[in-house]
């Protein structure tokens, strides 16, 4: 039983032997003592004696460098398959040693800074300014705020490489993994969005309904990602895709590790999540439901809310690269009574809606100045904020250029920042 084949799928290792034995090693990590461990499942891939193909022989957590632990696993396997001459010592030793080597391989050093600097405003975004390329973006909010509908809309803009409502999609191949609804509901929403935007007609999304936790679905999802050259994945919802209580960081770390390893260099991911009941009455939410580890591991986080008039607002709560983006507002018009026939999205200013209370003073000032220059006093009146607070914000000294500048006439406006050959209003 030499030279098994090894395949790595999203951080899970799969070994197969010609003798009809398969070993899966998942949730590889170091325990509290710093020893490498894994959850090991041994399965018969072919019949052996009266034992049928597919029979699971063991599913145990194993310290991969522990002699006593490996010996115990070998004894257990010998007892369960007494009538088949299988060399379990070779199986366990080889799988364990390969797994340890896989865990200890270091990332090679690379030189950063001798290449051409990024030159495009769209650089690094799958959908500017919401979804970063190659990392995880979390979009969370209360039930009924339109998270899934917007996720489908965003996915279609990426799939088609379209620009709409100030959103700019970089063409990509999207897989939508759905734990919340079903194919029928998803199809109805997609066609309603197409009905509302003729440019999106004919845009098709790869869809998969999921019922098991993400790590259990991982092998099938990884096969789709490979076969269809997927570079963007939508997880709807993050909470439903976890294998354990989201208050436990232990369930979140393996999720992000597996997600990151789906494609070399990292996959672009949009994770739709819920808001905790405790946060539902707060203007400034602490983050998505569950452990703070969700917030820590995500590279960018947006909160979504809807006011009583149907205005949907998106507020950028966290970013690891660059500055936070300005708040985004949308009017969403629905057509249809018993069925959803048409959906139309139109950008609007949430500073003029009931959602303005969720904005920071900076966001309110920024949003107001997008309409044109103003003096300090009229700006304070327009935002509803204390004049001294507004003044402190405008005169604040930072290392980076301020988003605000004062003209010769004493009025304030947004600074123009040059990005390559494209000019955008500063943030």
């Amino acid at each position: 039983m030499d030279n098994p084949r090894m395949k790595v799928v999203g951080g899970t290792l799969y070994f197969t032997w010609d003798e009809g034995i398969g070993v899966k090693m998942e949730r590889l990590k170091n325990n509290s003592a710093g020893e490498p461990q894994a959850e090991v499942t041994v399965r018969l891939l072919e019949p052996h004696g009266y034992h049928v193909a597919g029979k699971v022989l063991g599913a145990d957590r194993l310290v991969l460098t522990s002699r006593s632990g490996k010996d115990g696993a070998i004894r257990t396997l010998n007892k369960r398959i007494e009538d088949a001459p299988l060399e379990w010592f070779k199986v366990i030793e080889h799988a364990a040693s390969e797994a340890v080597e896989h865990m200890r391989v270091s990332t090679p050093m690379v030189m950063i800074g001798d290449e051409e600097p990024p030159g495009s405003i769209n650089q690094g975004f799958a959908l500017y300014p919401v979804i970063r390329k190659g990392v995880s973006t979390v979009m969370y909010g209360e039930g009924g705020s339109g998270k899934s509908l917007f996720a489908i809309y965003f996915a279609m803009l990426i799939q088609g490489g379209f620009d709409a409502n100030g959103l700019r999609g970089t063409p990509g191949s999207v897989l939508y993994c759905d734990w919340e609804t079903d194919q029928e509901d998803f199809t109805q929403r997609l066609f309603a969005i197409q009905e509302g935007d003729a440019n999106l007609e004919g845009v098709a999304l790869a869809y998969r309904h999921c019922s098991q936790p993400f790590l259990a679905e991982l092998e099938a999802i990884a096969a789709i990602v490979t076969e269809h050259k997927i570079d963007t994945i939508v997880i709807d919802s993050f909470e439903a895709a976890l294998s354990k209580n989201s208050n436990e960081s232990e369930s979140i770390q393996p999720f992000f590790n597996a997600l990151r390893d789906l494609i070399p260099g990292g996959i672009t991911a949009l994770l739709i999540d819920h808001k905790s009941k405790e946060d539902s009455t707060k203007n400034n939410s602490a983050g998505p439901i569950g452990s703070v580890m969700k917030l820590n591991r995500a590279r960018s986080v947006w909160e979504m809310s809807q006011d009583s008039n149907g205005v949907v607002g998106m507020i950028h709560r966290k970013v690891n690269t660059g500055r936070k983006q300005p708040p985004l507002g949308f009017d969403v018009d629905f057509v249809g009574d018993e069925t959803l026939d048409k959906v139309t999205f139109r950008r609007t200013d949430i500073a003029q809606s009931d959602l303005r209370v969720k904005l920071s003073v900076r966001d309110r000032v920024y949003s107001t100045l997008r309409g044109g220059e103003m003096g300090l006093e009229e700006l304070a009146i327009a935002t509803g904020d204390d004049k001294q607070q507004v003044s402190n914000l405008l005169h604040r000294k930072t290392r980076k250029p301020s988003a605000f500048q004062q003209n010769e006439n004493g009025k304030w406006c947004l600074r123009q920042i040059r990005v390559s050959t494209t000019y955008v209003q500063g943030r």
Side-chain angles (χ1 to χ4, degrees), residues 24 61 68 106 125 176 216 226 248 309-310 321 339 342 370:
K24 178 172 72 171
R61 181 169 294 180
S68 60
S106 61
F125 284 91
Y176 199 105
T226 301
E248 301 175 10
N309 297 314
T321 304
T339 61
K342 180 179 178 180
R370 290 177 69 178

Side-chain angles (χ1 to χ4, degrees), residues 27-319:
R27 296 178 174 82
L28 280 74
K29 65 177 184 178
N30 291 325
N31 61 19
S32 58
E35 301 167 313
Q37 66 177 29
E39 292 184 13
V40 182
T41 302
V42 182
R43 189 186 303 270
L44 293 180
L45 304 179
E46 298 175 3
H48 286 271
Y50 63 85
H51 302 283
V52 299
K55 182 175 182 178
V56 175
L57 306 179
D60 302 295
R61 181 169 294 180
L62 177 65
V63 176
L64 302 175
T65 53
S66 168
R67 181 72 269 158
S68 60
K70 290 185 287 188
D71 286 344
I74 294 166
R75 287 194 299 271
T76 298
L77 291 168
N78 279 322
K79 288 180 182 179
R80 292 179 180 174
I81 304 288
E82 295 178 341
D83 56 335
L86 297 172
E87 299 177 85
W88 294 117
F89 177 83
K90 286 187 176 181
V91 170
I92 295 300
E93 282 295 328
H94 186 100
S97 61
E98 288 288 334
V100 171
E101 183 177 350
H102 173 78
M103 293 175 68
R104 291 178 176 172
V105 169
S106 61
T107 303
M109 185 198 77
V110 295
M111 295 298 295
I112 305 293
D114 57 355
E115 69 276 7
E116 288 295 317
S120 169
I121 193 171
N122 225 27
Q123 181 78 21
F125 284 91
L127 182 71
Y128 179 84
V130 180
I131 304 172
R132 288 270 183 182
K133 277 185 182 178
V135 296
S136 297
T137 296
V138 170
M139 186 168 73
Y140 72 98
E142 296 178 33
S145 57
K147 301 184 297 294
S148 296
L149 189 67
F150 272 81
I152 299 171
Y153 180 51
F154 292 166
M156 295 174 75
L157 291 175
I158 295 171
Q159 184 72 39
F162 289 114
D163 299 350
N165 290 308
L167 306 169
R168 292 191 283 280
T170 300
S173 186
V174 184
L175 171 64
Y176 199 105
C177 294
D178 187 0
W179 276 262
E180 292 286 334
T181 56
D182 54 31
Q183 182 177 338
E184 181 179 0
D185 185 73
F186 180 87
T187 301
Q188 187 178 59
R189 293 180 181 186
L190 185 144
F191 279 105
I193 292 171
Q194 289 182 336
E195 188 68 25
D197 187 342
N199 290 325
L200 297 178
E201 290 182 9
V203 174
L205 294 177
Y207 173 87
R208 187 175 191 275
H209 176 72
C210 302
S211 56
Q212 299 298 313
F214 178 74
L215 293 178
E217 302 269 11
L218 183 59
E219 187 172 3
I221 290 173
I224 295 172
V225 168
T226 301
E227 180 181 354
H228 296 277
K229 296 180 172 59
I230 301 295
D231 51 44
T232 300
I233 187 170
V234 178
I235 302 291
D236 188 3
S237 66
F238 189 1
E239 184 72 12
L242 291 175
S243 57
K244 298 179 181 178
N245 189 322
S246 67
N247 286 310
E248 301 175 10
S249 62
E250 187 176 299
S251 68
I252 297 169
Q253 296 281 30
F255 174 93
F256 274 107
N257 292 341
L259 188 64
R260 180 194 57 203
D261 293 339
L262 273 176
I263 62 172
I267 196 166
T268 301
L270 176 61
L271 312 179
I272 309 304
D273 209 359
H274 302 288
K275 189 176 181 179
S276 69
K277 186 177 294 185
E278 292 77 13
D279 273 351
S280 61
T281 59
K282 296 179 182 178
N283 289 331
N284 294 304
S285 171
I289 188 173
S291 170
V292 71
M293 191 58 66
K294 283 183 175 179
L295 198 65
N296 292 343
R297 287 297 302 266
R299 301 295 87 186
S300 181
V301 179
W302 292 81
E303 181 187 0
M304 179 174 281
S305 302
Q306 188 176 49
D307 75 0
S308 57
N309 297 314
V311 173
V312 174
M314 294 179 59
I315 300 173
H316 205 191
R317 295 299 187 191
K318 175 202 169 178
V319 65

